[in-house]
Amino acid sequence: MFSEHPDGVPLQANPHRQSVLSDSGRWARLHPHHPLHNGKQITAGTKRINVGGKHMCNLLKELISYRQLNLLEETYACNLIKEDVCFVSTSFYEEMELAKKKDPSVLCEYVLPDFVNIHRGYVKLPDVTDDPDEAKKPVPTKEQIIRLSLERFTVPEILFNPSDIGIEAMGLTEAIVYAIKQCPVNMQPHLYNNIVIIGGSSKFQNFKERIIKDVRSCAPDEFNINVYRPEDPIVEAWKGGQLLAGWPGFQNARVTRSEYEESGSTVCAKKLYDSIPVGNT
């Protein structure tokens, strides 16, 4: 909830800001969508989906291990592969057809780290040669290489269609639209016009474009759709914590152990939103 708008203005610091904050993090169950009005969270519109970056990493491990090389114990390496080569498809079935044809735009080779000579994996660039016979000859190498094609876009697709891995839940875009529709009707045009995406998963290629495309198909035609992504969305949650810690009313929002044991997590939300004023930092 405490985050900065891409123009540098903290979302909580602008009393007239209305926005939807979508946090797409790594760990499971960390995809909350918070509608904000006058710096306050609209609780009725808060929605969380139980799919995260960890699910994507696990799926990628299973796909690679089943088709090529056992990487079930190589979480670190698979997470790097996910970050380096995966992208969000804006036209899923067209991408599938390209993958079937082994199109170079989808197919890529990835060099795995051996942690002796290669400490971090990387995408292997194709060898360019004018001789077609030379291009067909296998090049001797000691590198451990895997080939990736449809895995590159089917893995991030579970963010938008969790049912692909058997999770009965709405996708990320559906959750954004759901969160907006739970808000008062007169606020909804402003929320559609100010969707902020943060978290590591939002750095996927075409992630922002996919959000715009899917939300546009669900929103009324007369509403404008704008999606903002900060320059470094990974640290945006940390910046929010920094803003929160420096807030004048933060001392009054602290919860003691006895209060938490008596009332649970509800007392955290109550004291936080009641104690912290909306104002400029």
Side-chain angles (χ1 to χ4, degrees), residues 65-116:
S65 299
Y66 177 76
R67 295 170 180 170
Q68 300 184 61
L69 182 67
N70 187 357
L71 295 180
L72 290 176
E73 302 298 326
E74 300 295 340
T75 301
Y76 173 75
C78 283
N79 195 58
L80 291 179
I81 296 172
K82 180 194 71 175
E83 295 175 355
D84 289 345
V85 305
C86 286
F87 65 91
V88 173
S89 174
T90 55
S91 183
F92 186 81
Y93 294 106
E94 290 182 10
E95 301 284 359
M96 286 293 290
E97 289 300 319
L98 291 174
K100 290 179 182 178
K101 298 175 183 178
K102 298 182 179 181
D103 190 277
S105 63
V106 177
L107 181 66
C108 79
E109 292 184 336
Y110 193 87
V111 179
L112 295 172
D114 58 13
F115 301 106
V116 177

Side-chain angles (χ1 to χ4, degrees), residues 42-217:
I42 303 175
T43 308
T46 299
K47 182 64 179 176
R48 187 173 69 181
I49 61 175
N50 296 330
V51 181
K54 188 177 180 182
H55 286 90
M56 289 188 284
C57 187
N58 289 341
L59 177 60
L60 184 59
K61 283 195 295 185
E62 292 177 3
L63 292 175
I64 295 175
S65 299
Y66 177 76
R67 295 170 180 170
Q68 300 184 61
L69 182 67
N70 187 357
L71 295 180
L72 290 176
E73 302 298 326
E74 300 295 340
T75 301
Y76 173 75
C78 283
N79 195 58
L80 291 179
I81 296 172
K82 180 194 71 175
E83 295 175 355
D84 289 345
V85 305
C86 286
F87 65 91
V88 173
S89 174
T90 55
S91 183
F92 186 81
Y93 294 106
E94 290 182 10
E95 301 284 359
M96 286 293 290
E97 289 300 319
L98 291 174
K100 290 179 182 178
K101 298 175 183 178
K102 298 182 179 181
D103 190 277
S105 63
V106 177
L107 181 66
C108 79
E109 292 184 336
Y110 193 87
V111 179
L112 295 172
D114 58 13
F115 301 106
V116 177
N117 299 314
I118 303 173
H119 297 281
R120 194 192 190 286
Y122 60 91
V123 177
K124 184 178 177 65
L125 298 177
D127 296 326
V128 180
T129 177
D130 296 330
D131 189 346
D133 294 329
E134 287 293 329
K136 294 179 181 179
K137 293 180 180 180
V139 179
T141 178
K142 294 182 180 180
E143 299 169 341
Q144 196 167 31
I145 298 174
I146 58 174
R147 284 194 168 191
L148 300 163
S149 57
L150 56 85
E151 298 92 347
R152 297 181 62 194
F153 58 89
T154 55
V155 168
E157 187 66 22
I158 67 174
L159 293 177
F160 301 91
N161 293 288
S163 59
D164 289 352
I165 55 173
I167 296 178
E168 296 182 4
M170 62 179 65
L172 192 149
T173 308
E174 293 173 283
I176 293 174
V177 174
Y178 172 86
I180 293 175
K181 288 185 176 180
Q182 301 308 302
C183 300
V185 175
N186 62 333
M187 290 176 53
Q188 293 182 16
H190 305 288
L191 295 173
Y192 278 115
N193 195 41
N194 195 16
I195 299 171
V196 182
I197 54 176
I198 65 174
S201 296
S202 65
K203 296 187 71 174
F204 280 129
Q205 179 185 348
N206 298 333
F207 185 92
K208 177 180 175 180
E209 289 76 8
R210 175 68 177 270
I211 294 289
I212 294 174
K213 178 183 177 182
D214 288 0
V215 172
R216 176 73 278 170
S217 66

Side-chain angles (χ1 to χ4, degrees), residues 5-40:
H5 193 271
D7 59 14
V9 180
L11 294 178
Q12 286 280 54
N14 191 326
H16 304 295
R17 177 82 64 191
Q18 295 177 340
S19 61
V20 176
L21 180 63
S22 176
D23 185 359
S24 304
R26 165 170 168 71
W27 297 103
R29 294 166 39 180
L30 286 183
H31 279 68
H33 304 80
H34 300 290
L36 301 175
H37 172 64
N38 285 353
K40 299 287 186 178

Side-chain angles (χ1 to χ4, degrees), residues 2 9-17 36-41 247-249 272-281:
F2 285 78
V9 180
L11 294 178
Q12 286 280 54
N14 191 326
H16 304 295
R17 177 82 64 191
L36 301 175
H37 172 64
N38 285 353
K40 299 287 186 178
Q41 175 187 355
W247 217 274
L272 179 65
Y273 303 127
D274 290 348
S275 301
I276 297 181
V278 177
N280 293 326
T281 56

